[in-house]
Amino acid sequence: MEVTRKNFKESLDTIYSAIEEADFLAIDGEFSGISDGPSVSTLTNGLDTPEERYHKLRKHSMDFLLFQFGLCTFKYDHTEVKYIMKSFNFYVFPKPFNKNSPDVKFVCQSSSIDFLASQGFDFNKVFCIGIPYLNQEEERLVREQYDERRSQSNGVGTPSFISPNSSKGPVIVPEEHKVFIEKVIEKVEDLLHTEKNSVHLEPCTAFQRKLIYQTLNWKYPKGVHVETVETKQKERSILVSKVDEEERKKREKEKQEKEQEELNDSVGFSRVVHAISKSGKLVVGHNMLLDVMHTINQFYCPLPEDLNEFKEVTTCVFPRLLDTKLMASTHPFKELINNTSLAELEKRLKETPFISPKVESAEGFPSYNTASEQLHEAGYDAYITGLCFISMANFLGTFLSPPKQHISARSKLIEPFFNKLFLMRVIDIPYLNLSGPDLQPKRDHVLYVTFPKEWKTSDLYQLFSAYGNIQVSWIDDTSAFVSLSQADQVQIAVNTSRYAESYRIQTYAEYVETRMEEKRA
Amino acid sequence: MEVTRKNFKESLDTIYSAIEEADFLAIDGEFSGISDGPSVSTLTNGLDTPEERYHKLRKHSMDFLLFQFGLCTFKYDHTEVKYIMKSFNFYVFPKPFNKNSPDVKFVCQSSSIDFLASQGFDFNKVFCIGIPYLNQEEERLVREQYDERRSQSNGVGTPSFISPNSSKGPVIVPEEHKVFIEKVIEKVEDLLHTEKNSVHLEPCTAFQRKLIYQTLNWKYPKGVHVETVETKQKERSILVSKVDEEERKKREKEKQEKEQEELNDSVGFSRVVHAISKSGKLVVGHNMLLDVMHTINQFYCPLPEDLNEFKEVTTCVFPRLLDTKLMASTHPFKELINNTSLAELEKRLKETPFISPKVESAEGFPSYNTASEQLHEAGYDAYITGLCFISMANFLGTFLSPPKQHISARSKLIEPFFNKLFLMRVIDIPYLNLSGPDLQPKRDHVLYVTFPKEWKTSDLYQLFSAYGNIQVSWIDDTSAFVSLSQADQVQIAVNTSRYAESYRIQTYAEYVETRMEEKRA
Ligand SMILES: Nc1nc2c(ncn2[C@@H]2O[C@H](COP(=O)(O)OP(=O)(O)O)[C@@H](O)[C@H]2O)c(=O)[nH]1
Ligand SMILES: Nc1nc2c(ncn2[C@@H]2O[C@H](COP(=O)(O)OP(=O)(O)O)[C@@H](O)[C@H]2O)c(=O)[nH]1
């Protein structure tokens, strides 16, 4: 089901109940870009520590916009022995809801945009009818402003249409606006002494509108209602109407209700993420670190600098996460699965020894066909991710005695995979551990090598040809990590390099030490 | 006429000849945003110097994308006494044309995007079928790479399909790829000894492809042709074919021609801007400083830091510019025109003493209807801008004796307006002078005031209430320029402020001095 600004409000109950009844949820995001650094691969060095990786992604990926969010809910039907799924494809856009709300700037990466375009992505759905959202801090601020205005208007004589910051003394009208304001007063006097009910003032500047509000509030605290009306062309002008006290209160109340609704509308898509979070359900994703980072950054709070704080926030927002790419890369799946990219994984899990799960769309929900792929639509990717999870979970059941055909999302068997997010292209640390300290692999067979930028991979192979098999992890165009096959060769290599002029070799330990010193300085 | 990647090439001749035959051109751009600073108005302080304004716009506006470019050409038909116009609405997007080409990142501002969305802007036309482009430096680099590859392939034995950087000695194949490469060689041997003409190798990594190219080129310098083919899903695999020398040369040539065409395609929309530039025609725009800056930045070169260098580059690219907003704000128009925004100006110029010009669309070009406005489509805005220019130019003709009804784009009467770009919201400098030094108004009646951020405009009015009429130009929330009506009050104000604790006053001269010192430090 496609959800945009047009049908968001009417779909909310459907979404809430799909989340509530589900056994587990699958999510996926599409972004306006991946890396604002020189290249995606410099973001993913093979020997990044989890801290380094987190800092790089936070620095180089968070200015992009998560603009499509896929949610697929799965509920197991024990009598029919099948899953019922409901899939939602949300288009998300930070439409400013009034002139005081944040005017978000986000980055687009041409290659990512072009890739999505080639997959038939509909950008108009994002930019023209995307669902707005606020993060928690923005929501709090808007609620506060709103409450402050309401409490003022309940007090004496300061109706809600006067902005809280405007001065309450007599109005100082700058010389050049005096004639203008006098004319306005004439018009209002006219209104009060004739049969007419209201008068439209001419369009004017924001500053003049402010003066009008202040002046009229000062001169006519009770008898008139002043409001700014906006034409479709976004031209603002002021409407002054005659009202008695009862009418004035009624309008005031209507206005407040309208404001409250506007406020809920502006929290928008964040309400869906809040519901996912509150449900405490297992949330499944494929290679989901960036999805999780963007989701928290966009709908909760700017990401903390410190990795441990990020882990804390994440486990608060998503108490149980499972990454199918990590699962597929771990025993006993690793031995059976060559390619863990989502599309390949899904194909592989249709073949023995795996069994395709029985999954049907709920009534009224469109069904996806895995034969004619719609990859890279977030809703479809979330669906496929859910399928992969079910197949792999059920496969674990075949090891039980007696074997079980259905393994639920609450089974102990899948707990080892909880809260571990796949770390792309890191050689020796498979995952980011959200619920504790990370693995600290020995890197005593690793060298840090610097060299002229003319060097190619082949130069490194040549340099280390005496040491047997090596593995090169490029850092930038003048440095790389080189992993030797045996740790005891490291010192030999370092010694040999002592007199070299064109390149320099350090042990990994020396490299870490140098970096720490640089940081302290 | 709408121009996208789909019809760009077939439209080029039409575009070139429209530019060639025109008496003058009108342009307009739409951007993905205006200001990445805190607010648009902080970009446009009323007392900015031209340098300051240029630096602010360069810093805070250039990361946005110019993604719609309107061009309207006007040709005067003397016998029919009317203008014939051709209007083009280009959608522009920096689609990377291969994996070595620049992967442009650009910023979007939600409020701008939302505004365009509300005007019916079609974002899919930008992102899915926008015309690509390269700036001059990028074009030069790509041509160089291309020429280098060609000259190598004309030499001995290094065909163009070998990347210029690959080593020319025997290939060092890393241990873990040895088996893979041996299998490839087996397959090629197979091919050479059977009837088959070609063999498709399995998809593999970029590094493996590199090894294949190097190995096969080394082992079979003549007998086989190796090329990478790309499926629609962007998967790359290698096709090896048997060829005799003649066939090999033919393929080589075909490949070169294809590359040359790809290169032209990738220069794309820049070719239109080059044509405008080379034509030397008068180019008219409305409030066109940002349009000019974006056009140069995107299609020529990154903007220079120095304003004078910017003026030089601009007069090279556009030898004759005219800004209709400046024209409308200058005598004798200033006295007749209250609101110089494009839409209002266009309406005003339909009324006496002005005369609506007779302008018709050329055959085969869609006509715009100024009654049902399509404002904020770049092509339409360019058209309206042209209309405004014609009306104002012709109005100047009424002062001649005898009066003239038609004033051409080459008339001396309009020369005073050349190469002066409107400076938005600057109080005392109407324009940026592209062909010389800028005006240096006296600012000896101006104060620089700093104060607590709780202060409002009214506090400033109150502070200076003794000095008569003042004008406030906010800088940020703790500082503003205050212009007094008389210069001789300045010293009194500064003196009075000496013992004040909450605020501080400097003369404008002192302020400039302090800033210069800060810069030098
Ligand atoms: N000097 C040099 N630098 C390289 C080479 N290959 C990669 N690099 C650098 O290492 C970074 C990461 O490279 P890599 O992981 O191979 O991925 P890539 O960015 O897609 O080429 C690149 O952005 C370059 O700065 C090479 O052959 N020579
Ligand atoms: N302290 C304070 N700062 C202001 C006030 N009005 C404007 N500013 C500051 O001046 C900047 C420019 O303001 P202005 O030109 O009025 O346009 P605005 O940004 O649309 O409000 C704002 O971004 C604020 O930082 C005010 O009443 N008090």
Side-chain angles (χ1 to χ4, degrees):
Chain A
M1 176 176 164
E2 208 161 76
V3 191
T4 67
R5 198 188 304 159
K6 299 256 181 252
N7 64 344
F8 179 63
K9 243 194 299 194
E10 73 204 45
S11 310
L12 254 183
D13 284 337
T14 312
I15 301 162
Y16 286 158
S17 66
I19 294 171
E20 242 0 276
E21 74 193 12
D23 287 294
F24 75 92
L25 314 172
I27 62 167
D28 181 59
E30 294 295 337
F31 320 118
S32 66
I34 298 293
S35 162
D36 65 8
S39 88
V40 174
S41 43
T42 49
L43 275 197
T44 54
N45 184 281
L47 290 169
D48 280 338
T49 61
E51 281 82 9
E52 281 168 334
R53 178 62 58 85
Y54 173 70
H55 290 144
K56 286 190 204 173
L57 294 178
R58 177 174 175 274
K59 183 160 167 220
H60 293 293
S61 280
M62 288 304 113
D63 288 340
F64 299 105
L65 188 70
L66 188 173
F67 54 24
Q68 195 184 47
F69 188 98
L71 167 67
C72 196
T73 67
F74 293 83
K75 176 181 157 63
Y76 192 64
D77 182 332
H78 283 271
T79 46
E80 299 275 328
V81 195
K82 68 182 182 194
Y83 274 100
I84 304 294
M85 69 97 178
K86 296 180 177 175
S87 116
F88 303 89
N89 200 39
F90 298 95
Y91 291 87
V92 174
F93 181 75
K95 178 182 162 70
F97 81 105
N98 69 29
K99 71 189 181 78
N100 298 320
S101 53
D103 188 3
V104 177
K105 284 103 192 173
F106 58 90
V107 179
C108 293
Q109 185 175 4
S110 311
S111 57
S112 300
I113 296 289
D114 186 48
F115 175 75
L116 288 173
S118 74
Q119 306 284 317
F121 191 90
D122 189 339
F123 295 96
N124 284 335
K125 289 203 176 131
V126 170
F127 295 136
C128 304
I129 52 173
I131 311 160
Y133 60 86
L134 294 179
N135 72 23
Q136 297 220 302
E137 175 65 11
E138 289 159 354
E139 178 181 347
R140 199 184 57 72
L141 273 175
V142 176
R143 282 202 194 279
E144 253 178 40
Q145 279 170 15
Y146 168 76
D147 288 346
E148 191 177 330
R149 233 182 305 165
R150 190 167 46 180
S151 77
Q152 285 199 348
S153 88
N154 289 343
V156 211
T158 316
S160 74
F161 45 76
I162 301 288
S163 97
N165 297 319
S166 62
S167 82
K168 284 162 204 168
V171 189
I172 297 167
V173 178
E175 203 59 46
E176 69 268 32
H177 295 295
K178 283 213 166 119
V179 176
F180 174 81
I181 292 295
E182 269 157 28
K183 273 202 194 137
V184 167
I185 294 174
E186 261 170 46
K187 275 201 181 154
V188 175
E189 288 289 332
D190 249 28
L191 173 71
L192 292 174
H193 298 99
T194 59
E195 300 266 282
K196 281 184 292 175
N197 275 321
S198 61
V199 59
H200 249 295
L201 306 182
E202 277 164 48
C204 57
T205 67
F207 183 67
Q208 289 173 322
R209 283 200 301 278
K210 192 169 152 182
L211 291 175
I212 295 176
Y213 271 112
Q214 292 179 335
T215 310
L216 296 188
N217 178 49
W218 183 250
K219 280 186 84 86
Y220 311 98
K222 299 244 148 136
V224 300
H225 175 86
V226 189
E227 76 189 306
T228 303
V229 289
E230 196 171 80
T231 63
K232 274 216 174 129
Q233 285 78 45
K234 305 245 167 178
E235 228 182 31
R236 287 149 184 274
S237 73
I238 281 184
L239 180 70
V240 185
S241 348
K242 266 196 300 209
V243 284
D244 59 20
E245 187 57 3
E246 201 176 325
E247 175 69 11
R248 209 185 64 94
K249 280 204 177 132
K250 195 178 130 238
R251 288 203 193 181
E252 208 46 51
K253 191 159 160 261
E254 278 168 12
K255 199 179 167 197
Q256 277 171 14
E257 278 163 10
K258 212 174 130 236
E259 277 184 343
Q260 180 66 50
E261 198 180 324
E262 275 174 11
L263 202 149
N264 276 335
D265 290 352
S266 66
V267 177
F269 182 70
S270 302
R271 297 165 78 187
V272 174
V273 185
H274 299 164
I276 295 175
S277 172
K278 271 192 222 133
S279 77
K281 299 274 160 88
L282 175 67
V283 174
V284 171
H286 190 81
N287 202 4
M288 72 193 306
L289 178 54
L290 265 185
D291 301 87
V292 169
M293 287 176 73
H294 268 292
T295 304
I296 290 176
N297 190 52
Q298 213 160 294
F299 309 115
Y300 280 88
C301 56
L303 293 183
E305 246 195 78
D306 181 65
L307 174 60
N308 286 323
E309 272 177 55
F310 168 70
K311 291 182 180 182
E312 270 173 41
V313 176
T314 304
T315 36
C316 274
V317 174
F318 296 116
R320 282 190 297 165
L321 290 173
L322 184 146
D323 189 327
T324 47
K325 190 171 178 89
L326 179 76
M327 195 167 175
S329 316
T330 311
H331 177 78
F333 301 102
K334 177 165 77 170
E335 294 78 7
L336 297 163
I337 295 166
N338 278 319
N339 187 330
T340 60
S341 79
L342 184 57
E344 293 301 317
L345 179 61
E346 192 259 334
K347 275 188 221 147
R348 177 68 188 91
L349 293 174
K350 279 177 170 162
E351 296 161 6
T352 45
F354 305 106
I355 297 165
S356 289
K358 219 175 143 193
V359 178
E360 278 172 23
S361 294
E363 233 186 279
F365 281 79
S367 56
Y368 281 118
N369 181 353
T370 61
S372 73
E373 307 177 9
Q374 288 181 271
L375 233 60
H376 300 291
E377 182 188 277
Y380 180 78
D381 282 4
Y383 164 59
I384 294 296
T385 302
L387 292 187
C388 291
F389 166 68
I390 298 170
S391 288
M392 290 193 285
N394 288 347
F395 180 68
L396 292 177
T398 62
F399 293 98
L400 296 176
S401 54
K404 264 178 93 174
Q405 291 216 321
H406 168 69
I407 294 299
S408 94
R410 272 167 301 272
S411 162
K412 281 239 171 304
L413 287 178
I414 56 169
E415 279 181 16
F417 302 101
F418 280 1
N419 296 332
K420 293 174 182 160
L421 303 190
F422 187 72
L423 279 179
M424 244 174 51
R425 296 190 208 157
V426 178
I427 297 169
D428 53 6
I429 313 176
Y431 56 83
L432 180 74
N433 183 17
L434 291 173
S435 33
D438 283 297
L439 300 173
Q440 294 218 315
K442 267 199 172 163
R443 288 185 174 173
D444 50 10
H445 61 300
V446 177
L447 299 170
Y448 172 71
V449 190
T450 52
F451 42 79
K453 68 167 172 292
E454 289 70 32
W455 280 36
K456 303 282 150 200
T457 306
S458 52
D459 295 295
L460 289 168
Y461 279 116
Q462 220 137 20
L463 181 62
F464 293 100
S465 51
Y467 302 91
N469 203 359
I470 65 165
Q471 191 167 20
V472 176
S473 310
W474 284 94
I475 298 168
D476 53 35
D477 57 7
T478 61
S479 63
F481 292 120
V482 173
S483 312
L484 304 183
S485 50
Q486 274 139 42
D488 54 17
Q489 302 169 331
V490 159
Q491 207 48 52
I492 309 174
V494 171
N495 292 343
T496 325
S497 77
R498 213 139 269 166
Y499 306 102
E501 290 198 340
S502 57
Y503 65 93
R504 243 189 67 199
I505 298 184
Q506 283 189 320
T507 63
Y508 184 79
E510 284 163 357
Y511 162 80
V512 171
E513 183 55 34
T514 317
R515 285 215 31 180
M516 299 266 272
E517 269 167 27
E518 279 167 15
K519 250 196 192 162
R520 266 183 247 122
Chain B
M1 175 175 162
E2 207 160 79
V3 192
T4 66
R5 196 188 306 160
K6 299 257 182 252
N7 64 344
F8 179 62
K9 245 194 298 195
E10 73 205 44
S11 310
L12 254 182
D13 284 336
T14 312
I15 300 162
Y16 286 156
S17 65
I19 294 171
E20 243 0 276
E21 74 193 12
D23 288 293
F24 74 93
L25 313 172
I27 62 165
D28 181 59
E30 294 294 337
F31 321 120
S32 65
I34 299 294
S35 161
D36 65 9
S39 89
V40 174
S41 43
T42 49
L43 276 197
T44 55
N45 184 280
L47 291 169
D48 280 337
T49 61
E51 281 82 9
E52 280 169 334
R53 177 61 59 84
Y54 173 70
H55 290 144
K56 284 190 206 175
L57 293 178
R58 178 174 174 273
K59 183 160 169 217
H60 293 293
S61 281
M62 288 303 114
D63 288 340
F64 298 105
L65 189 70
L66 187 173
F67 55 23
Q68 196 184 47
F69 189 98
L71 167 67
C72 196
T73 67
F74 292 83
K75 176 182 158 62
Y76 191 65
D77 181 334
H78 285 271
T79 46
E80 298 275 328
V81 195
K82 68 182 181 194
Y83 273 101
I84 304 292
M85 69 97 176
K86 296 180 177 175
S87 115
F88 303 89
N89 199 39
F90 299 95
Y91 290 86
V92 174
F93 181 76
K95 178 182 163 69
F97 82 104
N98 69 29
K99 71 187 181 75
N100 298 319
S101 54
D103 187 4
V104 177
K105 284 101 191 174
F106 58 90
V107 179
C108 294
Q109 185 176 3
S110 311
S111 56
S112 300
I113 297 289
D114 185 49
F115 175 75
L116 289 172
S118 74
Q119 306 286 317
F121 191 90
D122 189 340
F123 295 95
N124 285 335
K125 289 203 176 131
V126 170
F127 296 135
C128 304
I129 52 174
I131 310 161
Y133 60 86
L134 293 179
N135 72 24
Q136 297 220 300
E137 174 65 10
E138 288 158 354
E139 178 181 346
R140 199 184 56 73
L141 272 175
V142 175
R143 282 203 194 279
E144 253 178 39
Q145 278 169 17
Y146 168 76
D147 287 347
E148 191 177 331
R149 233 182 304 167
R150 192 168 45 182
S151 77
Q152 285 199 345
S153 88
N154 289 342
V156 209
T158 317
S160 75
F161 46 76
I162 300 286
S163 98
N165 296 321
S166 62
S167 82
K168 283 162 206 167
V171 189
I172 296 168
V173 177
E175 202 58 46
E176 68 268 34
H177 295 297
K178 284 213 165 119
V179 175
F180 174 81
I181 291 295
E182 271 157 27
K183 275 202 193 134
V184 168
I185 294 176
E186 262 170 46
K187 275 198 182 155
V188 176
E189 288 291 332
D190 249 27
L191 173 69
L192 291 174
H193 297 101
T194 60
E195 301 265 281
K196 279 182 293 173
N197 277 321
S198 63
V199 58
H200 251 295
L201 305 182
E202 278 164 48
C204 57
T205 67
F207 184 67
Q208 289 173 323
R209 282 201 302 279
K210 193 170 152 185
L211 291 176
I212 295 175
Y213 271 112
Q214 292 180 334
T215 309
L216 296 187
N217 178 49
W218 183 252
K219 279 186 87 85
Y220 310 99
K222 301 243 148 139
V224 300
H225 176 86
V226 190
E227 76 188 307
T228 303
V229 288
E230 197 173 79
T231 62
K232 275 217 172 126
Q233 284 78 47
K234 307 243 168 179
E235 228 182 31
R236 287 150 184 274
S237 74
I238 281 185
L239 180 69
V240 184
S241 347
K242 265 193 300 209
V243 285
D244 58 21
E245 187 58 2
E246 200 177 325
E247 174 69 12
R248 209 185 65 93
K249 281 204 178 129
K250 197 179 128 235
R251 289 204 192 180
E252 208 45 52
K253 190 157 161 265
E254 279 168 12
K255 199 179 167 198
Q256 277 172 13
E257 279 163 11
K258 211 176 130 234
E259 275 184 346
Q260 182 66 51
E261 196 180 328
E262 275 173 10
L263 203 148
N264 277 335
D265 290 352
S266 65
V267 177
F269 182 71
S270 303
R271 298 165 78 186
V272 174
V273 186
H274 299 163
I276 295 173
S277 171
K278 271 190 222 134
S279 78
K281 301 274 160 89
L282 174 67
V283 175
V284 171
H286 191 82
N287 200 3
M288 74 193 306
L289 178 53
L290 265 184
D291 300 88
V292 170
M293 289 176 72
H294 268 291
T295 303
I296 290 176
N297 189 52
Q298 214 161 295
F299 309 115
Y300 280 88
C301 57
L303 293 183
E305 245 194 77
D306 181 64
L307 174 60
N308 286 323
E309 273 177 54
F310 168 71
K311 291 182 180 183
E312 272 174 39
V313 176
T314 303
T315 38
C316 274
V317 175
F318 297 115
R320 283 191 296 165
L321 290 174
L322 185 147
D323 190 328
T324 47
K325 191 172 177 89
L326 179 75
M327 194 168 178
S329 316
T330 310
H331 178 78
F333 302 101
K334 178 165 78 170
E335 294 77 7
L336 297 163
I337 296 167
N338 278 320
N339 187 332
T340 61
S341 78
L342 184 57
E344 293 301 318
L345 178 62
E346 192 259 336
K347 276 189 222 149
R348 177 67 189 91
L349 293 173
K350 280 178 169 161
E351 296 161 6
T352 45
F354 304 106
I355 297 164
S356 289
K358 220 176 141 193
V359 178
E360 277 172 23
S361 293
E363 231 187 278
F365 281 79
S367 57
Y368 283 118
N369 179 353
T370 61
S372 74
E373 308 177 9
Q374 288 181 271
L375 233 58
H376 301 289
E377 184 188 273
Y380 180 79
D381 283 4
Y383 164 59
I384 293 296
T385 303
L387 293 188
C388 291
F389 166 68
I390 299 170
S391 289
M392 289 192 286
N394 288 347
F395 180 69
L396 294 176
T398 62
F399 295 97
L400 296 176
S401 56
K404 264 178 92 174
Q405 288 215 323
H406 168 70
I407 293 299
S408 94
R410 271 167 302 272
S411 163
K412 280 239 170 308
L413 287 178
I414 55 169
E415 279 181 17
F417 302 101
F418 280 0
N419 296 331
K420 292 175 183 160
L421 304 190
F422 187 72
L423 278 178
M424 244 174 51
R425 296 190 206 157
V426 178
I427 297 169
D428 52 5
I429 312 177
Y431 56 83
L432 180 72
N433 183 15
L434 291 173
S435 34
D438 283 297
L439 300 173
Q440 294 218 313
K442 267 200 173 165
R443 287 186 173 170
D444 50 11
H445 61 301
V446 176
L447 299 170
Y448 171 71
V449 191
T450 50
F451 41 78
K453 68 168 172 294
E454 289 69 34
W455 279 36
K456 304 281 150 200
T457 307
S458 53
D459 295 295
L460 289 168
Y461 278 118
Q462 221 137 21
L463 181 62
F464 294 100
S465 52
Y467 302 92
N469 202 359
I470 66 164
Q471 191 167 19
V472 176
S473 309
W474 284 94
I475 298 168
D476 53 34
D477 56 7
T478 60
S479 64
F481 292 120
V482 173
S483 311
L484 305 182
S485 49
Q486 275 139 40
D488 53 15
Q489 301 169 334
V490 159
Q491 208 47 55
I492 308 174
V494 171
N495 292 342
T496 325
S497 77
R498 210 138 271 165
Y499 306 102
E501 291 196 340
S502 56
Y503 66 92
R504 244 190 66 201
I505 298 185
Q506 285 189 319
T507 64
Y508 184 78
E510 283 163 358
Y511 161 80
V512 172
E513 184 55 34
T514 316
R515 283 218 30 181
M516 298 267 271
E517 270 168 28
E518 278 167 15
K519 249 195 192 163
R520 267 182 248 124

